[in-house]
Amino acid sequence: MAARGSCPGCGSTALVEDAHYAQQQLVCAACGCVLSEGLLTTTYAEEEHLREVAYSQSTGQKEQLSRCLQRGIRRVQDLCKVLQLPTVFEETAVSYFQRALQHPSFHLVSLEKKELLGGCCIFVTCRQHNWPLTMGTICSLLYVKQELFASVYLSLQKELGLSVPALSLGDLVKTHLNSFQLFQHAANVPAPFVEDKEKMVARTMQIVELASETWLVTGRHPIPIVTAAAFLSWQSLQPAARLTCTFARFCKLAGVDLPPPAHLRLKELLEILLRMASQLAWLRVFNMDKKTVVKHIGDLLQHRIFLLKNAFCLEDEEEQHAMTPGEGSPGSPPAAGGAAQEEGCPSEGKRQHEGRPRPLLPPCLINPRKRLRTAAPSASDSAITGDEPISDSEIEQYLRGPEEIRAFRKAKAWP
């Protein structure tokens, strides 16, 4: 059916109304130019009410968002292929990415953060399926700083209400050691430095568990601890050829970064091992130091529970000593003989004090940092009325005698 007018492109007057795809449009029959678009129903609600909307208001309304969504989906799929993730992981990550782009909180963010959303969705998916993927690995693939990635990840978790379980320490050890380059022969790695992966992972796990039992993991970043534990396990497997290798050279050969606190974690681990070595009868005859104790890490880990009980004063043993008759309560003064001995020979008393097993406490309590001085409280603030609440940690300070300790234990055991 012809219509009046001419085509602005070619000047032809052969204009027809095209109803192709149920869409009425005015089209030039000579060059195919669309002069005017028709009306199109796109949703079930509009079709139910027999309403017609323009094409630009239906599928063309979010054309820019649609292109961003397509690029993001391809980016998520490519990252999943690089990480060799299962197909179900890829589908879950894509669905999270689609939900994130539809959320109003991510409409006005920068393009860089929108590109990070795909990596965050993959990270969330792997954590939910207990797949060992660290934030450092995904950041290295995206060429982004961990601080920016963490901010986008926390926003995604909060806005979508996602439940993300924490990665266990064992999974973190396996994941971190997978990036080491000491498990196969290479030109820059000497032959004595190459180690079996399973043996190194198993011993590193034991050292990390020891660090966890001795309060070295609590409140600390896990990567420096795992790196220091891997260095000790690597040295202890072949100590004759590896004791001369420094911590920095080990990290360079392994192809991993050396975190700044790792030297402190290594020092703390060696101090724990030296205390444990002092409790083994066949090691007391040697003059153990931080280098020679590495040779006996296998024996120390084999008898770990026994040595920890003997090397450190645990809570149960303290209570037993407090309940032993003749020793007095923790608040009572020392015996006269002991006081005289310390007064007569200070060095002998100091040696006896150093030889005693110290309490198994976090390092922040053993070597507390210097804190800023606070302002002196006023007279009204320092006044004691007797109505102040007593916290659970302060209750133990009021227990002195064995009877009170037994009564407190009985109260705690009461259902």
Side-chain angles (χ1 to χ4, degrees):
M1 179 179 180
R4 295 181 180 180
S6 60
C7 176
C10 63
S12 175
T13 58
L15 305 180
V16 295
E17 291 182 357
D18 186 12
H20 193 48
Y21 297 113
Q23 182 175 343
Q24 298 178 356
Q25 293 180 343
L26 192 61
V27 183
C28 176
C31 65
C33 178
V34 179
L35 277 69
S36 64
E37 68 172 6
L39 297 177
L40 179 68
T41 58
T42 56
T43 63
Y44 290 108
E46 291 163 349
E47 291 178 357
E48 183 179 357
H49 295 88
L50 299 178
R51 296 176 181 174
E52 294 180 333
V53 295
Y55 174 78
S56 60
Q57 297 176 356
S58 56
T59 57
Q61 184 180 9
K62 296 183 180 180
E63 186 178 358
Q64 184 70 23
L65 181 61
S66 178
R67 287 199 300 266
C68 181
L69 179 61
Q70 293 175 4
R71 287 197 304 267
I73 291 176
R74 286 195 299 267
R75 189 177 183 87
V76 170
Q77 293 172 347
D78 293 341
L79 285 175
C80 290
K81 289 181 175 62
V82 170
L83 295 171
Q84 298 180 357
L85 300 179
T87 307
V88 63
F89 288 22
E90 179 179 327
E91 296 174 354
T92 306
V94 168
S95 65
Y96 284 157
F97 182 75
Q98 292 174 346
R99 286 177 54 189
L101 282 189
Q102 294 174 0
H103 199 277
S105 301
F106 300 103
H107 286 175
L108 300 178
V109 297
S110 62
L111 181 60
E112 184 180 11
K113 291 186 177 181
K114 285 185 179 180
E115 293 179 350
L116 291 181
L117 278 177
C120 294
C121 294
I122 295 176
F123 185 70
V124 169
T125 304
C126 292
R127 285 292 179 88
Q128 290 178 342
H129 290 81
N130 198 22
W131 188 274
L133 176 67
T134 61
M135 189 177 294
T137 302
I138 195 72
C139 289
S140 62
L141 292 176
L142 297 175
Y143 301 101
V144 67
K145 294 183 179 180
Q146 295 188 11
E147 292 80 6
L148 180 60
F149 182 87
S151 64
V152 179
Y153 163 70
L154 294 176
S155 299
L156 176 69
Q157 183 180 1
K158 177 183 178 181
E159 299 299 338
L160 299 187
L162 301 176
S163 176
V164 183
L167 187 65
S168 65
L169 200 57
D171 294 336
L172 183 61
V173 170
K174 296 177 183 178
T175 305
H176 189 58
L177 264 64
N178 282 338
S179 59
F180 281 31
Q181 301 175 3
L182 297 174
F183 306 125
Q184 55 186 358
H185 294 276
N188 60 335
V189 180
F193 289 180
V194 180
E195 188 52 66
D196 182 69
K197 182 178 179 180
E198 295 182 359
K199 292 182 180 179
M200 188 171 172
V201 170
R203 179 154 293 187
T204 304
M205 285 284 297
Q206 294 177 347
I207 298 178
V208 171
E209 290 175 358
L210 174 65
S212 178
E213 294 172 354
T214 52
W215 294 94
L216 299 183
V217 179
T218 306
R220 265 84 176 274
H221 197 284
I223 295 298
I225 300 172
V226 174
T227 306
F231 174 62
L232 290 177
S233 64
W234 175 78
Q235 280 190 324
S236 64
L237 290 173
Q238 294 186 23
R242 300 172 181 174
L243 281 180
T244 57
C245 182
T246 61
F247 196 9
R249 187 188 177 192
F250 164 77
C251 293
K252 184 177 180 180
L253 293 174
V256 296
D257 296 331
L258 178 58
H263 287 287
L264 298 177
R265 304 293 88 84
L266 178 63
K267 180 181 177 182
E268 293 171 351
L269 282 172
L270 289 173
E271 291 176 354
I272 296 296
L273 293 173
L274 284 173
R275 275 192 164 271
M276 294 171 60
S278 64
Q279 303 300 320
L280 276 180
W282 61 85
L283 294 182
R284 291 177 181 174
V285 296
F286 300 103
N287 187 15
M288 304 294 295
D289 56 11
K290 293 182 178 180
K291 286 189 175 181
T292 56
V293 74
V294 179
K295 302 177 182 179
H296 309 282
I297 286 182
D299 295 335
L300 298 177
L301 294 177
Q302 184 179 0
H303 308 284
R304 180 182 67 193
I305 300 177
F306 172 78
L307 296 177
L308 283 178
K309 288 183 178 180
N310 291 348
F312 297 95
C313 186
L314 303 181
E315 182 181 357
D316 295 339
E317 295 178 357
E318 287 182 348
E319 292 181 356
Q320 291 177 3
H321 288 306
M323 295 178 62
T324 303
E327 294 185 358
S329 61
S332 60
Q341 185 179 9
E342 291 186 2
E343 291 177 0
C345 184
S347 61
E348 184 67 25
K350 182 179 181 181
R351 283 197 297 269
Q352 288 185 359
H353 179 70
E354 291 179 353
R356 298 173 186 170
R358 67 172 175 82
L360 188 58
L361 299 174
C364 61
L365 296 180
I366 300 174
N367 300 314
R369 295 181 178 180
K370 294 182 179 180
R371 294 188 175 93
L372 298 176
R373 294 182 179 179
T374 57
S378 60
S380 59
D381 297 336
S382 59
I384 299 177
T385 61
D387 298 331
E388 293 80 12
I390 301 176
S391 62
D392 296 338
S393 60
E394 295 178 349
I395 291 180
E396 299 178 357
Q397 300 179 5
Y398 294 89
L399 302 178
R400 292 294 182 264
E403 295 81 4
E404 294 176 334
I405 294 179
R406 285 194 294 268
F408 182 64
R409 284 182 174 179
K410 185 177 179 181
K412 289 175 63 178
W414 189 266

